[in-house]
Amino acid sequence: MAQDYVVLDSRSDTGMTAVNKSVFRSIAEISISDIENAITLQETRFYKPVSVKIEDNALCVHADIKVKFGANVSATCELVQNRIFENIMFMTGIKPSNISINVTGFEIE
């Protein structure tokens, strides 16, 4: 069965502290919207532009984005990766092991 959470503290007297993977997805979506040239894709019933996998307490994030026409794609993807990494580290204290960004197209204003 797939693991749906990352254990933060398992040594507590009252129980363990864990974070669900939907929290990481929300943090990544907010991080993408913070970048000026990155555009989040519309979520549908069968498609989620940001996916999170947790394997052996290692966090992997995959995001599909669009880039504004005329913007530097490489620099935009690097900014998105750094922002997702920093926000997840700041909010949860967990270092993502892999953050992959897939550019699916361009947005023309």
Side-chain angles (χ1 to χ4, degrees):
M1 185 166 109
Q3 188 177 1
D4 289 337
Y5 58 89
V6 173
V7 177
L8 296 179
D9 182 18
S10 61
R11 294 178 244 142
S12 175
D13 293 336
T14 58
M16 70 177 185
T17 305
V19 178
N20 193 318
K21 68 181 180 180
S22 65
V23 172
F24 298 111
R25 209 175 111 224
S26 296
I27 292 171
E29 289 171 349
I30 292 168
S31 300
I32 294 168
S33 67
D34 286 345
I35 303 298
E36 181 181 353
N37 293 323
I39 299 165
T40 56
L41 298 176
Q42 186 67 31
E43 183 175 322
T44 64
R45 185 175 182 187
F46 300 109
Y47 171 72
K48 300 201 184 318
V50 177
S51 63
V52 175
K53 290 184 182 178
I54 300 169
E55 298 170 349
D56 300 327
N57 266 358
L59 180 66
C60 301
V61 179
H62 176 79
D64 294 335
I65 65 169
K66 284 187 176 184
V67 176
K68 287 186 181 177
F69 185 76
N72 186 334
V73 175
S74 179
T76 302
C77 290
E78 186 177 347
L79 283 172
V80 170
Q81 282 180 321
N82 289 338
R83 183 67 54 93
I84 290 172
F85 182 85
E86 290 169 357
N87 286 345
I88 288 176
M89 272 291 298
F90 178 73
M91 294 180 192
T92 65
I94 295 174
K95 289 183 182 179
S97 62
N98 184 20
I99 300 173
S100 61
I101 307 298
N102 183 33
V103 178
T104 61
F106 296 95
E107 185 76 20
I108 299 173
E109 295 178 342

